[in-house]
Amino acid sequence: LDLVINVPDSMDSQALSDGFEMRRAAIDSGTSLIVDIKTAILVITSLKRKYSREQAGKEFFSLQSWQEYCEPRDTVQDKVGRD
């Protein structure tokens, strides 16, 4: 188990105590825990996007140096002009 999402949908005493036990077990086992609905939605959306891009053979995340972002690139018109 890598991630626990525990967002209570009601504030009754049984739901709160069950939720407490789940959160406590996640913390005690060192498992990642999300308790906010907005954060859970963003994480799930990001994981779905990552999975979709990887299945399509696209890179999900790339890291480049600042110089690589700032250096001018050859455009199609530059290449046509040289030929």
Side-chain angles (χ1 to χ4, degrees), residues 5 11 13 34 39 43 47 52-53 58 61 76 78 80-81:
I5 298 176
M11 298 305 284
S13 62
I34 297 176
T39 304
V43 167
L47 290 173
S52 298
R53 288 189 61 84
K58 297 178 182 177
F61 182 79
V76 173
D78 292 339
V80 171

Side-chain angles (χ1 to χ4, degrees), residues 40-83:
I41 291 169
L42 289 171
V43 167
I44 297 300
T45 303
S46 297
L47 290 173
K48 181 184 180 299
R49 184 174 294 158
K50 178 182 186 302
Y51 177 79
S52 298
R53 288 189 61 84
E54 288 175 348
Q55 291 300 308
K58 297 178 182 177
E59 191 173 352
F60 176 69
F61 182 79
S62 65
L63 184 62
Q64 297 177 341
S65 69
W66 180 249
Q67 288 78 17
E68 290 173 305
Y69 284 108
C70 294
E71 289 176 358
R73 295 183 182 177
D74 289 340
T75 63
V76 173
Q77 290 180 352
D78 292 339
K79 291 179 182 179
V80 171
R82 282 189 245 154
D83 295 334

Side-chain angles (χ1 to χ4, degrees), residues 18-29:
D18 289 345
F20 173 79
E21 289 179 24
M22 289 179 64
R23 290 189 301 274
R24 185 77 257 165
I27 297 299
D28 290 343
S29 66

